[in-house]
């Protein structure tokens, strides 16, 4: 049984590396943005952080700069 590769645009949650490629934002900037305890577009799985793709899209639609 082989593991099927899911395209980034179909994933609900992205790793920092995937999010950096998808959004065009550096990994360090993503870490900085998601360190805030009130961040609504980060999902913590233990010590691993995943970016909620749709919520991050909404966030980026409403801001001027990061």
């Amino acid at each position: 049984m082989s593991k099927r590769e899911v395209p980034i645009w179909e994933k609900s949650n992205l790793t920092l590396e995937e999010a950096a490629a998808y959004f065009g934002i550096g990994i360090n900037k993503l870490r900085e943005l998601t360190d805030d305890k009130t961040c609504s577009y980060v999902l913590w799985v233990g010590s691993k952080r995943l970016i909620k793709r749709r919520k991050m899209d909404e966030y980026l639609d409403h801001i001027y700069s990061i």
Side-chain angles (χ1 to χ4, degrees):
M1 204 182 258
S2 66
K3 191 173 183 181
R4 185 174 86 91
E5 191 72 26
V6 178
I8 283 180
W9 60 87
E10 289 184 7
K11 290 184 173 186
S12 296
N13 301 304
L14 306 173
T15 65
L16 284 178
E17 292 78 13
E18 291 170 336
Y22 183 82
F23 294 111
I25 300 172
I27 292 174
N28 290 335
K29 183 52 117 174
L30 285 170
R31 277 194 183 104
E32 180 185 321
L33 291 170
T34 57
D35 276 341
D36 185 6
K37 299 270 189 229
T38 62
C39 181
S40 65
Y41 49 85
V42 67
L43 172 67
W44 288 95
V45 180
S47 62
K48 180 179 181 178
R49 75 181 89 194
L50 297 174
I51 307 296
K52 298 175 186 176
R53 186 180 51 81
R54 288 189 233 42
K55 288 229 184 221
M56 182 73 168
D57 274 331
E58 290 172 14
Y59 171 74
L60 293 175
D61 282 344
H62 295 95
I63 62 168
Y64 174 73
S65 68
I66 54 172

